[in-house]
């Protein structure tokens, strides 16, 4: 009885709390009907003679009737908004059964072993998480994936799987990892739990619908009041559901699940680093890497090579990856990669002239080198503006480093002379301010162009995916922008004059390769220049690499 007692205890708690949520709904309905009930009692009493004409109850009948009509009208308004409001739906990539029959077979077998209903469909999310999502609301459309009749009969939720798991996890690890999630379809099929969840989701959606709409202020107030009343019960219900699912899943691949959980932590670390260090620079350039999930495997393999704590994980790569369960993993990866760009950076929902996919083999040339050139050009354009309007700091040096180099030419020497010479602190502060303004203007122009391309008008809705739902990083500070631009200028000079090349580091993103290997120390010397005004460490680094500081670089 041991393995059964846990699931039954959790399920019992969940059902009890679900009934408590439904009692809140019943109490709200009773409050709405109370004036009508009083009006009916008064009306019947007057008709039968139990209430004398001219008495206080008889005199109150018109007012009570009016209050009952008003209460019923308001209750009907709240009920209609709650029923019709579309609950929030997680952005995912749908996986029809014909595109992943092996994956559906794995989930179906897993549900049979657990003795729970089969999920109605499978979808992928570009994140390291997995969950069940109810999409039975009419606004979400008919269920897809498993047999439509069966899906409607059991109202099973959709299984959402983190796409990085499919590429990094092995098949057995994925099955073990999904067992507790799939086990949650059992409690989800209980009528009381399902009704309680629909009620809470409807209230949450009603709050969102009423936000910013004065004519629905009363609806929003009632919905928030009811949410507060049932919040604790709903939270305890979900804890009971999770406990029941976890206990039930212990009978399936429990030992392997411990190993799979270790992989979850590693996958999350590699995914987060890949998005921040590798994908984000590409997104800022109007390029979206089309194989992010394949990239996370490379990033985690590199992490395993560098980190002794993770080195044993690379030996798993000889086993069958879970992405083999897909018929066309490349197409699914591309769809998940585009969705990741929309969620974490913002941008059009479809590729276009200014929003193009980029393969990993093209990344150094299309993203790294192009980013360096654009940032170097912006840096010198701002230096030109400061020199033209006589900004803070020392004036532009009049001495030419070489007779054939015109004043103001895009050279590293010019940057070092301005930031490391007299007045370098003042010029650095002005550069930070002007660069921040330039970047904001460029971003505003790109945003307006993207919105026009997506909607045909600048006043288009954000619903097209042009605003990030989960931004990865806050806007860069002025000091960070200046450091990035100076680094870009140095890298351009190294490529043009020292035989270096742009490269991609799977863990750190854009990298400068000198002699085929990554050259370290540049960031530290740039920070020394900006924070202390000391250009000597950077000059020494440039000398070691063989960069000709006085030679103009190609900016485009």
């Amino acid at each position: 009885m041991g393995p059964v007692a846990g699931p039954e205890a959790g399920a019992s708690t969940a059902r009890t709390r679900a009934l408590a949520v439904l009692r809140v709904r019943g109490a709200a309905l009773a409050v709405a009907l109370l004036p009508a009930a009083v009006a009916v009692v008064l009306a019947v009493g007057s008709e039968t003679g139990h209430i004398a004409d001219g008495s206080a109850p008889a005199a109150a009948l018109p007012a009570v009737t009016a209050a009952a009509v008003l209460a019923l009208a308001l209750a009907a308004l709240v009920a209609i908004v709650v029923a019709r409001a579309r609950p929030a739906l997680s952005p995912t990539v749908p996986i029809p059964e014909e595109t992943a029959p092996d994956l559906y077979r794995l989930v179906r077998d897993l549900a049979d072993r657990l003795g729970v209903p089969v999920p109605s469909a499978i979808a992928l999310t570009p994140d390291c998480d997995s969950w069940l999502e109810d999409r039975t609301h009419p606004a979400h459309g008919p269920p897809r994936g498993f047999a439509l009749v069966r899906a409607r009969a059991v109202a099973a939720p959709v299984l959402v799987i983190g796409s990085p798991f499919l590429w990094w996890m092995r098949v057995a690890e994925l099955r073990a990892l999904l067992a507790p999630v799939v086990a949650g379809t059992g409690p989800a099929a209980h009528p009381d739990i399902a009704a309680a969840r629909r009620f809470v989701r409807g209230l949450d959606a009603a709050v969102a619908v009423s936000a910013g709409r004065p004519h629905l202020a009363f609806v929003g107030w009632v919905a928030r009041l009811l949410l507060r009343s049932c919040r604790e019960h709903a939270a305890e219900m979900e804890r009971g559901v999770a406990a029941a699912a976890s206990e039930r899943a212990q009978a399936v691949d429990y030992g392997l699940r411990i190993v799979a959980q270790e992989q979850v932590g590693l996958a999350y670390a590699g995914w987060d680093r890949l998005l921040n260090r590798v994908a984000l620079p590409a997104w800022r350039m109007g390029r979206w890497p089309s194989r992010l999930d394949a990239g996370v495997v490379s990033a985690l393999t590199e992490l395993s090579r560098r980190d002794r704590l993770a080195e044993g994980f690379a030996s798993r790569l000889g086993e069958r990856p879970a992405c083999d369960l897909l018929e066309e993993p490349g197409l699914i990866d591309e769809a998940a990669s585009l969705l990741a760009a929309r969620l974490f950076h913002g941008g059009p929902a479809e590729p276009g002239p200014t929003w193009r996919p980029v393969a990993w083999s093209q990344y150094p040339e299309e993203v790294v080198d192009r980013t360096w050139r654009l940032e170097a050009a912006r840096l010198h354009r701002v230096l030109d503006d400061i020199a033209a309007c006589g900004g803070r700091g020392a004036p532009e040096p009049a001495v030419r480093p070489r007779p054939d180099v015109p004043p103001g030419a895009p050279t590293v020497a010019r940057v070092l002379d301005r930031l490391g010479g007299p007045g370098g602190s003042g010029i650095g502060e002005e550069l930070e301010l002007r660069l921040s303004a330039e970047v904001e203007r460029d971003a505003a122009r790109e945003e307006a162009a993207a919105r026009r391309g997506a909607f045909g008008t600048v006043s288009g809705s954000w619903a097209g995916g042009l605003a990030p739902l989960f931004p990865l990083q806050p806007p860069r500070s002025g000091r960070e922008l200046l450091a990035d631009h100076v680094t870009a200028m140095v890298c351009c000079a190294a490529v043009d004059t020292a035989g270096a090349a742009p490269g991609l580091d799977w863990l750190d993103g854009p990298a400068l390769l000198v002699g085929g290997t990554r050259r370290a120390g540049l960031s530290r010397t740039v920070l020394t220049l900006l924070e202390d005004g000391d250009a000597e460490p950077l000059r020494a680094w440039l000398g070691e690499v063989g960069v000709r500081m006085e030679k103009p670089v190609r900016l485009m």
Side-chain angles (χ1 to χ4, degrees):
M1 293 296 295
V4 178
E8 289 300 325
S12 176
T13 300
R15 290 192 293 269
T16 301
R17 292 295 184 167
L19 291 175
V21 172
L22 296 179
R23 281 196 294 271
V24 172
R25 184 183 67 178
L29 180 61
V31 170
L33 295 177
L34 181 60
V38 174
V40 169
V41 170
L42 294 177
V44 172
S46 298
E47 289 294 328
T48 58
H50 289 82
I51 297 178
D53 293 339
S55 63
L61 179 58
V64 173
T65 302
V69 172
L70 178 61
L72 290 176
L74 291 175
L77 175 63
V78 173
I80 291 173
V81 173
V82 171
R84 297 186 62 181
R86 179 170 181 167
L89 189 65
S90 302
T92 56
V93 176
I95 307 295
E97 185 168 3
E98 60 270 17
T99 66
D102 290 342
L103 179 59
Y104 273 79
R105 190 176 302 111
L106 180 146
V107 173
R108 187 180 291 109
D109 293 343
L110 187 58
D112 290 341
R113 292 175 62 186
L114 292 168
V116 297
V118 180
S120 61
I122 298 177
L124 295 187
T125 178
D127 203 357
C128 293
D129 198 3
S130 297
W131 65 88
L132 293 171
E133 184 166 274
D134 185 4
R135 298 185 180 180
T136 57
H137 192 278
H140 294 157
R144 300 171 58 189
F146 292 103
L148 182 61
V149 175
R150 182 179 180 184
R152 284 180 172 169
V154 300
V158 173
L159 173 62
V160 181
I161 306 174
S163 62
F165 294 159
L166 283 177
W167 270 259
W168 180 245
M169 295 278 184
R170 307 300 98 179
V171 172
E173 293 171 347
L174 180 68
R175 183 176 59 246
L177 186 68
L178 293 180
V181 184
V182 174
T185 61
H190 192 276
D192 292 337
I193 295 176
R197 284 176 165 176
R198 283 195 300 271
F199 177 60
V200 173
R201 283 196 303 271
L203 293 177
D204 186 67
V207 170
V209 168
S210 62
R213 299 181 181 179
H215 62 286
L216 294 178
F218 178 76
V219 175
W221 178 79
V222 172
R224 285 189 292 272
L225 177 63
L226 293 177
L227 277 176
R228 285 194 296 269
S229 300
C230 64
R231 179 180 299 146
E232 181 179 350
H233 298 304
E236 291 297 327
M237 177 185 70
E238 296 300 339
R239 291 191 187 98
V241 169
S246 177
E247 290 293 331
R248 182 180 295 274
Q250 286 189 6
V252 178
D253 299 330
Y254 180 74
L256 187 58
R257 189 172 308 122
I258 298 175
V259 178
Q261 289 294 342
E262 295 177 349
Q263 300 303 320
V264 170
L266 188 65
Y268 182 86
W271 180 248
D272 181 71
R273 195 150 182 170
L274 184 76
L275 293 182
N276 282 280
R277 306 289 181 88
V278 179
L280 189 58
W283 294 338
R284 287 172 175 164
M285 293 299 300
R287 303 288 188 269
W288 52 278
S290 58
R291 296 292 185 271
L292 278 178
D293 291 302
V296 78
V297 177
S298 299
L300 292 172
T301 303
E302 179 65 17
L303 178 64
S304 300
R305 187 184 66 83
R306 297 184 190 180
D307 190 347
R308 288 184 299 175
L309 295 177
E311 61 185 2
F313 295 145
S315 61
R316 308 162 36 261
L317 299 181
E319 303 173 19
R320 186 190 182 195
C323 63
D324 279 0
L325 300 173
L326 306 173
E327 291 292 302
E328 295 287 346
L331 295 179
I332 300 299
D333 194 357
E334 184 171 348
S337 299
L338 179 58
L339 180 57
R342 291 181 59 201
L343 293 178
F344 300 114
H345 180 68
E350 300 292 338
T354 59
W355 186 241
R356 300 202 303 267
V358 59
W360 292 124
S361 59
Q362 301 170 326
Y363 187 94
E365 188 67 27
E366 286 286 319
V367 177
V368 180
D369 187 75
R370 191 162 170 262
T371 300
W372 289 343
R373 304 290 175 182
L374 290 176
E375 292 189 341
R378 184 186 292 123
L379 175 62
H380 283 280
R381 185 169 63 249
V382 172
L383 282 174
D384 292 340
D385 293 342
I386 293 176
C389 65
R392 290 180 290 181
E396 188 88 18
V399 180
R400 301 182 187 179
R402 278 179 39 176
D404 58 337
V405 177
T411 65
V412 175
R414 181 195 188 195
V415 177
L416 294 183
D417 290 340
R418 299 296 283 151
L419 293 173
S425 176
I427 199 69
E429 292 176 1
E430 187 153 359
L431 276 172
E432 292 175 11
L433 294 174
R434 289 177 178 258
L435 284 174
S436 297
E438 282 275 333
V439 170
E440 289 180 4
R441 282 194 293 268
D442 290 346
R445 283 195 294 268
E446 293 172 2
E447 177 184 302
R451 295 173 73 180
R452 283 193 296 269
F455 306 104
T457 172
V458 177
S459 60
S461 167
W462 285 118
L466 296 174
L469 297 179
F470 312 103
L472 290 177
Q473 294 178 345
R476 289 174 289 178
S477 66
R479 176 57 55 86
E480 291 171 336
L481 282 172
L482 181 55
D484 290 343
H485 284 68
V486 172
T487 300
M489 180 63 199
V490 171
C491 291
C492 289
V495 172
D496 291 348
T497 68
L504 168 61
D505 186 287
W506 287 111
L507 296 177
D508 296 328
L512 179 67
L513 305 181
V514 179
T517 59
R518 185 180 177 186
R519 186 77 183 200
L522 176 57
S523 299
R524 175 176 48 81
T525 59
V526 169
L527 288 178
T528 301
L529 169 66
L530 300 182
E531 294 176 356
D532 304 330
D534 183 6
E536 292 309 312
L538 182 53
R539 292 182 187 275
W541 187 93
L542 293 167
E544 294 174 1
V545 175
V547 176
R548 300 174 61 182
M549 293 180 287
E550 75 286 353
K551 188 173 181 180
V553 302
R554 177 175 58 86
L555 297 181
M556 296 300 292

